[in-house]
Amino acid sequence: MRFGFTEHQERFRADVRNTLRRPEVQAAAAAATGAFGVEPDARPLYRLLGELCLLAVHWPVEYGGRGRSLTDAAIVAEEMVRAGVPDTLHVNTVQIVGQFLLMAGSEEQKRRYLPSIARGESFASVLYTEPDAGSDLGSLRTTAEADGDGYRITGTKVFSLKTRFVDFGLCAARTTPGAGTYRGMSLFLVDLRAPGVAVSVIPGIGDEHFHRVDLDAVVVPGADLLGPRDEGWPLLNEALAIERTGLDYYLKAERWLDAALEALVDGEPEAVPSGLLEQIGRWHGALAADHVLAWEVLTGIAADRVDQVATAVAKYHSSELAQAIAVRAADIPSPDQRADRTGAAVTLESAYREAPGLTLSAGTSEVMLQLVAASFDSIGQGD
């Protein structure tokens, strides 16, 4: 179990923190942060971060990275969120799609996509969820029919984030319908500017907007099939586990708890709800545990050990905790703080609207509990 960082890691963290404190970075981060249902374009901020070589530090140098460790990349992710950098473009483009390319991409695909991502010049979205399938990829209905040397993809994807700002999507589709629930599934890199692609906003309450992507016989070259045909599920299963470190949810919870404390300090002491201080103490303890667990998962992944149960526990607990903090802390700012739109009040109001989706993304809490329960069933059966 990991409880601290090495001297090398602490020096690297200090360097990253100092870079992110530069006035031009802080100004760009502020301009990229949504509020009151308005979602700004964060790409100028990410182009700046790309120039500073902070987007993909763990990628090989030949693909635009700095050849550092995965744990160093996690340190950068922590410091970016703490510096006010909205993280969705980074999570989707670098941590998910970029990771897929590193895992399963051809050499040509890696050289075509990764350097521009690392420079902050190209962005990606994740196209998994469908209207009738939800987060159950076994119910996938989007099809990819062979067409000469390529494919034609038809279907509808929903609840993708930042999609109107990105260049391509990682799309899961059936290449062999009827092969079985988790068989006959493939992954594609789809140009979202191609004919037949229609992107629309799904009305919601969050500052980040969900999108619907309709694909009408969209032509995808064979060179944009990611990994072997019909072998998408094993890749998805491995990558989803890597996505569930819990670190991103922990960082949201940390930021929202800090905002709650700021609102309390600036408010009237006699207005503090009964039992809230005790609850804050409990949250701090739970946050400390989440941080240790997230780094235990990250350290394992860096050593090529992916523990499906540990990732499920990390994702479940950190997302549930972040949601609980957001819901309870929304009542902390005083009416005056809300009226004056103080920084803490704006943060907590935004958190309250984001919170409902935290226990749904990257696998619902119910799915995480099923994964944990299945591991206990295996132990009980002697497997």
Side-chain angles (χ1 to χ4, degrees):
M1 186 64 71
R2 180 193 189 102
F3 291 100
F5 296 92
T6 67
E7 182 179 346
H8 167 82
Q9 289 172 327
E10 292 291 7
R11 285 199 303 269
F12 179 64
R13 184 185 295 277
D15 290 341
V16 171
R17 186 173 294 171
N18 287 335
T19 299
L20 292 170
R21 285 175 176 169
R22 293 182 184 181
E24 65 271 25
V25 177
Q26 288 294 292
T33 301
F36 308 111
V38 177
E39 182 179 33
D41 185 353
R43 288 175 294 182
L45 166 64
Y46 276 83
R47 282 191 284 271
L48 176 57
L49 294 173
E51 292 172 4
L52 296 171
C53 301
L54 287 178
L55 292 181
V57 299
H58 62 301
W59 290 1
V61 174
E62 60 265 33
Y63 302 138
R66 293 165 60 179
R68 302 190 71 97
S69 66
L70 178 64
T71 49
D72 282 350
I75 287 172
V76 174
E78 284 191 340
E79 293 305 317
M80 285 201 301
V81 171
R82 289 167 178 166
V85 174
D87 68 342
T88 303
L89 275 178
H90 190 264
V91 170
N92 286 350
T93 304
V94 177
Q95 297 179 30
I96 299 178
V97 178
Q99 181 63 33
F100 262 109
L101 282 161
L102 288 172
M103 285 170 47
S106 67
E107 185 61 26
E108 187 276 332
Q109 287 172 336
K110 292 176 184 177
R111 294 192 179 278
R112 178 154 49 104
Y113 287 103
L114 293 180
S116 62
I117 289 174
R119 292 192 299 267
E121 297 172 356
S122 181
F123 301 93
S125 186
V126 179
L127 304 179
Y128 299 161
T129 305
E130 299 185 1
D132 297 322
S135 59
D136 177 16
L137 291 175
S139 301
L140 200 68
R141 293 187 178 181
T142 296
T143 59
E145 296 183 357
D147 182 28
D149 294 333
Y151 298 84
R152 286 186 177 270
I153 297 182
T154 299
T156 297
K157 301 293 183 176
V158 291
F159 301 130
S160 60
L161 289 168
K162 302 295 183 186
T163 311
R164 65 193 175 100
F165 298 118
V166 308
D167 305 286
F168 65 100
L170 176 63
C171 180
R174 297 275 183 194
T175 35
T176 305
T181 302
Y182 296 107
R183 298 178 184 273
M185 190 185 302
S186 301
L187 297 171
F188 296 88
L189 301 168
V190 178
D191 180 359
L192 294 182
R193 308 288 194 277
V197 177
V199 178
S200 56
V201 174
I202 299 174
I205 62 174
D207 294 331
E208 290 189 312
H209 301 156
F210 287 116
H211 296 85
R212 174 188 174 108
V213 181
D214 290 297
L215 305 164
D216 183 9
V218 177
V219 175
V220 178
D224 283 332
L225 171 67
L226 183 59
R229 178 188 165 115
D230 288 344
E231 295 297 323
W233 176 247
L235 284 174
L236 282 166
N237 203 32
E238 181 178 356
L240 281 170
I242 293 173
E243 185 183 340
R244 296 165 181 161
T245 66
L247 186 64
D248 47 348
Y249 300 99
Y250 160 80
L251 291 167
K252 289 180 187 294
E254 179 187 63
R255 178 168 177 256
W256 296 341
L257 184 54
D258 286 345
L261 291 171
E262 180 183 337
L264 278 175
V265 169
D266 293 340
E268 297 295 331
E270 63 273 12
V272 176
S274 175
L276 181 58
L277 294 180
E278 178 185 349
Q279 181 63 70
I280 287 173
R282 293 182 183 277
W283 283 337
H284 268 292
L287 273 174
D290 273 345
H291 198 218
V292 171
L293 179 56
W295 273 94
E296 183 72 5
V297 170
L298 283 162
T299 303
I301 292 172
D304 293 325
R305 299 190 311 270
V306 180
D307 186 333
Q308 296 271 0
V309 177
T311 61
V313 172
K315 195 278 170 179
Y316 170 79
H317 193 268
S318 58
S319 63
E320 290 281 344
L321 178 63
Q323 187 179 85
I325 291 173
V327 171
R328 181 74 187 275
D331 294 328
I332 292 176
S334 68
D336 288 342
Q337 289 172 323
R338 293 191 185 97
D340 294 339
R341 293 187 173 182
T342 65
V346 170
T347 297
L348 294 174
E349 189 265 344
S350 178
Y352 182 79
R353 290 183 284 108
E354 182 180 352
L358 297 183
T359 56
L360 301 175
S361 61
T364 66
S365 288
E366 290 78 9
V367 170
M368 298 303 100
L369 291 174
Q370 287 173 1
L371 289 171
V372 175
S375 72
F376 283 105
D377 287 343
S378 297
I379 293 173
Q381 295 168 8
D383 293 342

